[in-house]
Amino acid sequence: RTTIKVLPHVAARVNGSPFSLAGTTTPFARERDASLDIDIDKLSLAQYLAYLPVKLRAKVTAGTVSTRAKLVFSEGDPQSRALWISGEFTLDDFVLQRPNGAETLALASAKAHVARLDIFHQTLVVDNLRVERPVLTVRRTGDGAIDLAAPWIDAPAQTGRAADASPPWQVGVEKASIADGTIHVDDSSVKPAYRVAFRGVTLDATDLSTAESKRAHLRVAMNSEFGATAKADVDMIPATLDATGHVEIDKLSLRRFYPYYANALNLDVQSGSLSIAGDFVHTPGPKGVVFTVKAGEASLDDLKLALRGERAPLWRVPRVALSGVGVDVGARRIDIAKVTSRGGALDVRRDHDGVVNFARLVKTSPDTGRAGRTEGGDDAGWSVVARQATFDRYSINVDDQVPAPPVALKL
């Protein structure tokens, strides 16, 4: 019996981009098979997005796609028939914007090696995914909404007939990496607006999957433009966000976070940095998220605090070290095994009206001091317990303006 093979080949330039299609097929065999090599070089994406079956709430203003892929079809019964794609896909010079022109994502290059994209069995396995020089912008508006969380496609119109339920796609990425990334944060929900850029963002991940039992491993690192560094080593289930890991943040400037404490504290942080490290557990559940930290270490360095509008600091501390820190967000509790500090200086002043400067650290309102009960139930606030505290070689300057003449003490 003779098997006839057909070798189709098509080559062209599509809007200036080389396109090649070549393969083999057995159209007259009892079980028909076909394979096609699909080679595309730098095909512009923007002009073809109009053919998508959904309407995007975004604009792709730049980007080209290149492929070295193979499409395989095998006819048979529903259990044995196959239609799958494998190969290398590259996205270059990609820019994504919101309809108002606000840029959200740009990347120099993203390259994926697809082991198998099985259409009939709805599975995608990627051997390797590498993204180079991505730039992500995260915006928070004045009402607290995060731009990235807003819908990216318009919901399809309802037809009046329930759609046939189909199983979700199963996606797995064996290895993924991000090199030399940048994250811009623009938070307009606070005043003044908080803006910062994180550069040198790197990510190495293995065993990413949509399966609810598949655990992945991630290593992340980044640097703030203000000198802080952060890194994390995390084991997590991406489908459920169940995660455990270790996080380290070094030299986080407290002064830069002024917009977030301006409404609560009557303080100016003239200088000071925070460094923290610890092991964390994040477990979503039916009653809410459980987030705890244990074996934590933290330090405050070169801390200078002054009352709002005053130049002279009321508290100067070279270093405060905390060890054995445990945090339970659900219980609103912080436990500190040991607090140590050395060589600090305090300026305590009582003004003519009898008010001590340290009593003015927290901003007050007519509701301050009332029972902490909200519409949703009890709000007992946070509890902080320090089991051991050692403050060595501190100096205290006391300036009491109430008596006449005023009293000045140095302790």
Side-chain angles (χ1 to χ4, degrees):
R1 186 174 65 177
T2 301
T3 300
I4 299 176
K5 292 186 177 181
V6 179
L7 307 177
H9 181 264
V10 177
R13 298 185 72 86
V14 180
N15 290 332
S17 300
F19 172 85
S20 175
L21 182 68
T24 62
T25 179
T26 56
F28 306 108
R30 177 174 297 178
E31 294 183 356
R32 290 187 288 270
D33 297 313
S35 66
L36 295 173
D37 294 326
I38 306 172
D39 297 339
I40 302 173
D41 291 314
K42 294 190 177 299
L43 182 69
S44 177
L45 281 176
Q47 55 191 320
Y48 297 102
L49 293 179
Y51 295 99
L52 289 175
V54 296
K55 184 179 179 181
L56 295 178
R57 294 188 183 181
K59 298 188 297 184
V60 176
T61 59
T64 62
V65 63
S66 302
T67 69
R68 294 295 182 268
K70 181 184 289 292
L71 173 67
V72 177
F73 171 75
S74 179
E75 189 180 52
D77 57 53
Q79 286 72 36
S80 61
R81 65 175 182 169
L83 177 62
W84 53 273
I85 302 172
S86 65
E88 192 168 273
F89 299 80
T90 303
L91 182 63
D92 291 310
D93 302 321
F94 178 78
V95 177
L96 179 69
Q97 297 179 346
R98 281 296 191 179
N100 62 3
E103 187 170 301
T104 299
L105 175 66
L107 55 88
S109 176
K111 183 176 291 186
H113 187 275
V114 176
R116 191 178 183 98
L117 170 61
D118 194 319
I119 306 299
F120 292 152
H121 295 91
Q122 296 182 292
T123 59
L124 170 61
V125 178
V126 178
D127 288 332
N128 188 58
L129 172 63
R130 180 172 177 81
V131 180
E132 295 184 353
R133 300 193 300 280
V135 179
L136 177 67
T137 301
V138 182
R139 296 181 182 86
R140 191 182 185 197
T141 59
D143 60 2
I146 298 177
D147 179 67
L148 287 177
W152 287 92
I153 62 173
D154 283 335
Q158 297 294 326
T159 61
R161 182 181 65 182
D164 294 334
S166 60
W169 276 74
Q170 296 297 315
V171 180
V173 180
E174 294 183 4
K175 183 178 180 181
S177 62
I178 295 175
D180 195 20
T182 300
I183 300 175
H184 293 285
V185 176
D186 186 344
D187 190 351
S188 298
S189 67
V190 293
K191 293 183 180 181
Y194 177 75
R195 295 182 176 92
V196 66
F198 298 95
R199 308 189 189 279
V201 179
T202 61
L203 167 70
D204 290 293
T206 57
D207 299 324
L208 296 171
S209 175
T210 58
E212 293 189 357
S213 60
K214 185 72 171 180
R215 189 168 289 273
H217 184 74
L218 296 85
R219 287 191 177 93
V220 186
M222 65 185 71
N223 305 309
S224 162
E225 63 178 314
F226 302 124
T229 63
K231 59 182 179 180
D233 195 313
V234 182
D235 286 310
M236 68 177 299
I237 300 176
T240 64
L241 298 182
D242 189 300
T244 61
H246 182 80
V247 175
E248 297 181 13
I249 301 174
D250 190 40
K251 298 187 183 304
L252 187 68
S253 173
L254 297 177
R255 188 175 182 179
R256 297 294 178 181
F257 284 89
Y258 166 80
Y260 295 97
Y261 60 75
N263 291 332
L265 299 180
N266 192 36
L267 280 176
D268 283 333
V269 178
Q270 297 178 336
S271 69
S273 65
L274 171 67
S275 299
I276 57 176
D279 301 327
F280 74 89
V281 176
H282 179 274
T283 307
K287 296 183 179 180
V289 175
V290 175
F291 185 84
T292 59
V293 177
K294 63 179 182 179
E297 305 284 334
S299 66
L300 294 166
D301 294 284
D302 189 27
L303 184 64
K304 293 181 182 179
L305 304 178
L307 286 173
R308 185 72 48 82
E310 296 186 3
R311 297 182 61 183
L314 58 81
W315 191 12
R316 302 177 298 278
V317 184
R319 182 178 178 85
V320 179
L322 295 81
S323 60
V325 179
V327 180
D328 189 330
V329 174
R332 297 188 176 188
R333 181 179 177 87
I334 299 175
D335 285 293
I336 305 170
K338 188 175 182 180
V339 180
T340 58
S341 182
R342 182 184 179 90
L346 302 178
D347 286 346
V348 181
R349 186 181 70 250
R350 188 167 68 152
D351 294 325
H352 292 94
D353 57 5
V355 178
V356 179
N357 56 356
F358 273 82
R360 297 162 51 200
L361 298 183
V362 178
K363 289 185 175 181
T364 60
S365 70
D367 293 328
T368 301
R370 295 185 179 180
R373 181 177 294 273
T374 65
E375 294 181 1
D378 293 331
D379 183 4
W382 282 76
S383 67
V384 180
V385 178
R387 307 197 178 279
Q388 180 181 343
T390 302
F391 295 87
D392 187 24
R393 296 191 177 182
Y394 263 62
S395 63
I396 302 176
N397 296 322
V398 179
D399 181 9
D400 192 349
Q401 296 293 317
V402 172
V407 176
L409 299 174
K410 290 187 177 180
L411 305 177

